[in-house]
Amino acid sequence: MCSQTWELPTQLHPESPGELEQSCWRFIDWLYISQSFVPMGEDSVETMRRVVRQSKFRHVFGQAVKNDQCYDDIRVSRVTWDSSFCAVNPKFVAIIIEASGGGAFLVLPLQKSGRIDKSYPTVCGHTGPVLDIDWCPHNDNVIASGSEDCTVMVWQIPENGLTLPLTEPVVVLEGHSKRVGIVTWHPTARNVLMSAGCDNVVIIWNVGTGEALVSLEDMHSDMIYSASWNRNGSLICTASKDKKLRVIDPRKMELVAEKDKAHEGARPMRAIFLSDGSIFTTGFSRMSERQLALWNPKSMDEPIALHEMDTSNGVLLPFYDPDTSIIYLCGKGDSSIRYFEITDESPYVHYLNTFSSKEPQRGMGYMPKRGLDVNKCEIARFYKLHERKCEPIIMTVPRKSDLFQDDLYPDTAGPEAPMEAEEWFDGKNADPLLISLKDGYTPSKIRDLNVVKKNILGSKPLAQKKSEASSTPKLASQTSSPASDGKLDEVMKELRSMKDLIKAQGERISKLEDIIANLTNNDTSEE
């Protein structure tokens, strides 16, 4: 045994819960070193250095903004649903609020901090409480909402925010038979939206036409708790009440992988894809301890890593930054944000630090990377929902230099979509188009969301059309024609149907005019 002894760390008198947790980790390091049986010398010193893992994110710290930069007097929704209740982009912050006689959410320009007047206009087209909202990654003025009224609505927000209540959505997507608790946009295909409801159905919509591209009706036997796209949008992963973690190819409507009892507890699970294709989950053990786990979809017999955290009953909402491989865990009802770094080295999920405050959080919004202040080394910004206000929290890496830190800000996903909805459905995959943040990010001008609804009467779902097309032999002249010919034929067909409809309505109007004329003549002759 080694006779060398080590002194106990002196900084074990914390003043806050965050410092307490840091002190505990320092004490564990001390214990590890003090029990090492390596003789003193160069090897021993090197062993000591390796005990504390090197990472540029070890000293990330969080700080809440001043009161005058918060959004006050907001009646945050009290609906019993485990969503984040908040969505943020570089232009707006959206918050689900209490509303009588239906569902509503606030949309505030980021600069409109301070007290929010009770008469401030809301987005209020739903007839039931709003359960989830999500900003479109390719248009900062478009937001989707899911509600207890079984519908999904897509809204276009004016450039400078609302001046009047917004009651008319751009499009209403109807297909669920029970409340819709999850809405999330495709990361790389324009106008593709996924929704999941309490009817255990996942629907993928083409918002540009208002129709369902894919409907996954028989994949889930119980309520869906979470649904997430992978980085290029070729796969989705879901977590449901039956304790199963599923990986699904939505276009082929095939189950790629499945894990039963990913977390054995009865409380809700969450699952998200990481940029390397692995899956990160949060859930509960059989003893109601909160857990986090890392999975390889190609081999899901055992997790890559599994960690137990505490015995709180709040659902852990994971927020992932693919640029830095950091995951932030925000528990509903907690007053802290824990963050971890994902690496290729064991134990793969490395604890970094905890941001703690006094007030519990009702929900949390997460700003995309292009909305951060790179001049202040800001690597994340959260919008914490209290009972009556929204409080921004800034995560910063301390650096002495004022120059652009390119190691903290690799090229990140930009607002341009690399493909259209029709291309994605036809089988194309594309990674996000990256942009540099070296000169900062300037939000693009407003781009209208145009919806061209197709004649649904007598038409077949796209998935059925595609399967029929693949099984029907084509002539050589058809197979050699370009895709534009197909679109032209489709437009011409729709134009002909509209002309026929106009002609029929014109004939009906003429008949009605004749009837009115006859009635008028009869009345005149009687007088």
Side-chain angles (χ1 to χ4, degrees):
M1 291 181 61
C2 175
S3 59
Q4 180 70 34
T5 59
W6 304 94
E7 292 185 4
L8 182 67
T10 56
Q11 296 180 351
L12 283 177
H13 304 287
E15 297 180 359
S16 70
E19 293 181 7
L20 174 62
E21 195 148 359
Q22 283 183 300
S23 299
C24 290
W25 284 103
R26 285 197 296 270
F27 183 63
I28 290 171
D29 290 342
W30 172 81
L31 283 175
Y32 187 86
I33 295 172
S34 65
Q35 298 301 320
S36 297
F37 300 111
V38 180
M40 283 301 292
E42 291 184 4
D43 292 340
S44 178
V45 173
E46 187 62 30
T47 301
M48 289 170 53
R49 287 174 182 165
R50 285 199 300 266
V51 167
V52 180
R53 191 182 63 89
Q54 296 299 313
S55 171
K56 57 192 169 190
F57 302 113
R58 278 195 68 215
H59 302 290
V60 171
F61 69 95
Q63 188 171 14
V65 302
K66 296 179 180 178
N67 286 334
D68 60 348
Q69 295 175 278
C70 296
Y71 307 87
D72 287 313
D73 208 13
I74 296 171
R75 294 168 294 130
V76 177
S77 175
R78 294 178 176 273
V79 67
T80 54
W81 188 255
D82 289 320
S83 72
S84 60
F85 289 174
C86 182
V88 194
N89 69 17
K91 288 185 180 179
F92 302 103
V93 53
I95 303 165
I96 302 176
I97 60 171
E98 283 285 296
S100 57
F105 58 94
L106 270 176
V107 176
L108 304 171
L110 290 184
Q111 66 273 16
K112 187 174 175 57
S113 55
R115 183 180 177 276
I116 307 301
D117 195 274
K118 291 182 179 179
S119 61
Y120 193 86
T122 62
V123 181
C124 50
H126 284 286
T127 57
V130 178
L131 300 179
D132 196 21
I133 50 178
D134 191 34
W135 286 105
C136 177
H138 310 123
N139 191 332
D140 287 340
N141 293 75
V142 172
I143 187 170
S145 58
S147 167
E148 281 194 6
D149 63 11
C150 308
T151 65
V152 176
M153 295 185 181
V154 180
W155 312 83
Q156 176 121 16
I157 307 300
E159 182 67 21
N160 297 317
L162 299 176
T163 54
L164 294 171
L166 187 58
T167 58
E168 292 296 326
V170 178
V171 63
V172 180
L173 306 174
E174 296 176 306
H176 289 282
S177 60
K178 293 185 179 179
R179 60 181 178 171
V180 182
I182 300 169
V183 289
T184 177
W185 293 90
H186 193 285
T188 59
R190 194 189 314 278
N191 293 340
V192 175
L193 177 69
M194 174 169 60
S195 64
C198 293
D199 52 2
N200 311 335
V201 176
V202 174
I203 300 179
I204 298 175
W205 307 87
N206 182 349
V207 175
T209 60
E211 62 180 343
L213 295 177
V214 176
S215 182
L216 305 175
E217 298 181 2
D218 302 322
M219 293 282 186
H220 301 86
S221 59
D222 214 331
M223 185 190 302
I224 301 167
Y225 285 141
S226 78
S228 168
W229 297 96
N230 67 346
R231 185 157 174 81
N232 66 3
S234 60
L235 300 172
I236 61 174
C237 69
T238 64
S240 58
K241 194 175 180 179
D242 59 11
K243 302 180 184 178
K244 289 185 179 180
L245 172 65
R246 295 175 174 86
V247 180
I248 300 169
D249 185 328
R251 289 170 293 191
K252 295 181 180 178
M253 300 187 185
E254 291 179 356
L255 189 64
V256 176
E258 184 180 73
K259 173 62 180 177
D260 191 20
K261 294 184 179 179
H263 295 277
E264 295 188 351
R267 298 278 297 151
M269 286 195 299
R270 286 289 183 275
I272 57 171
F273 266 110
L274 305 187
S275 57
D276 63 355
S278 56
I279 297 174
F280 183 89
T281 62
T282 64
F284 292 80
S285 70
R286 190 180 300 173
M287 303 302 292
S288 296
E289 295 172 309
R290 292 199 291 195
Q291 296 178 322
L292 57 86
L294 191 63
W295 305 86
N296 179 1
K298 297 179 181 178
S299 177
M300 297 182 70
D301 294 334
E302 294 294 332
I304 300 172
L306 177 66
H307 299 285
E308 292 184 349
M309 297 182 61
D310 53 33
T311 54
S312 178
N313 61 0
V315 176
L316 287 169
L317 304 178
F319 297 93
Y320 175 59
D321 179 4
D323 302 330
T324 59
S325 296
I326 294 179
I327 284 184
Y328 303 86
L329 298 183
C330 308
K332 294 204 75 172
D334 289 6
S335 56
S336 63
I337 301 173
R338 296 179 177 91
Y339 32 110
F340 300 79
E341 186 177 2
I342 311 296
T343 70
D344 296 331
E345 303 173 0
S346 179
Y348 307 106
V349 182
H350 305 271
Y351 170 80
L352 289 174
N353 209 337
T354 299
F355 168 80
S356 298
S357 58
K358 295 180 180 179
E359 297 294 326
Q361 52 224 18
R362 299 281 296 277
M364 193 72 74
Y366 179 63
M367 174 69 78
K369 206 62 169 290
R370 54 195 171 90
L372 303 180
D373 187 349
V374 297
N375 296 320
K376 296 180 180 178
C377 294
E378 180 183 4
I379 64 164
R381 190 190 309 161
F382 292 91
Y383 286 74
K384 175 182 174 180
L385 299 186
H386 298 247
E387 189 173 352
R388 299 283 295 188
K389 76 172 183 178
C390 175
E391 177 186 40
I393 297 170
I394 295 172
M395 299 289 179
T396 307
V397 176
R399 292 284 172 94
K400 293 181 179 179
S401 173
D402 294 332
L403 299 175
F404 178 74
Q405 307 292 318
D406 45 11
D407 62 324
L408 299 181
Y409 301 104
D411 290 354
T412 190
E416 289 301 318
M419 60 181 170
E420 301 296 328
E422 293 78 11
E423 294 178 289
W424 176 79
F425 186 73
D426 287 339
K428 180 180 177 181
N429 292 324
D431 288 331
L433 296 178
L434 305 182
I435 59 172
S436 172
L437 298 177
K438 187 169 185 178
D439 299 320
Y441 170 73
T442 303
S444 58
K445 293 183 179 180
I446 185 172
R447 182 173 59 240
D448 289 339
L449 172 61
N450 296 317
V451 177
V452 180
K453 286 200 172 183
K454 295 186 177 180
N455 183 13
I456 300 174
L457 296 175
S459 65
K460 299 176 182 177
L462 287 186
Q464 186 177 346
K465 287 181 184 177
K466 186 175 180 181
S467 62
E468 289 179 358
S470 61
S471 61
T472 305
K474 295 181 180 179
L475 299 174
S477 59
Q478 291 176 322
T479 55
S480 61
S481 61
S484 59
D485 290 347
K487 290 186 178 180
L488 179 61
D489 291 342
E490 188 177 339
V491 173
M492 292 300 294
K493 184 178 178 181
E494 189 170 353
L495 182 60
R496 283 194 294 270
S497 66
M498 290 179 67
K499 283 183 177 180
D500 293 340
L501 181 62
I502 292 170
K503 183 179 178 181
Q505 295 295 340
E507 292 174 355
R508 179 167 174 75
I509 290 170
S510 298
K511 289 179 181 179
L512 290 173
E513 286 176 344
D514 292 341
I515 294 171
I516 292 171
N518 292 334
L519 291 173
T520 305
N521 292 335
N522 291 338
D523 291 343
T524 305
S525 60
E526 288 177 1
E527 290 177 358

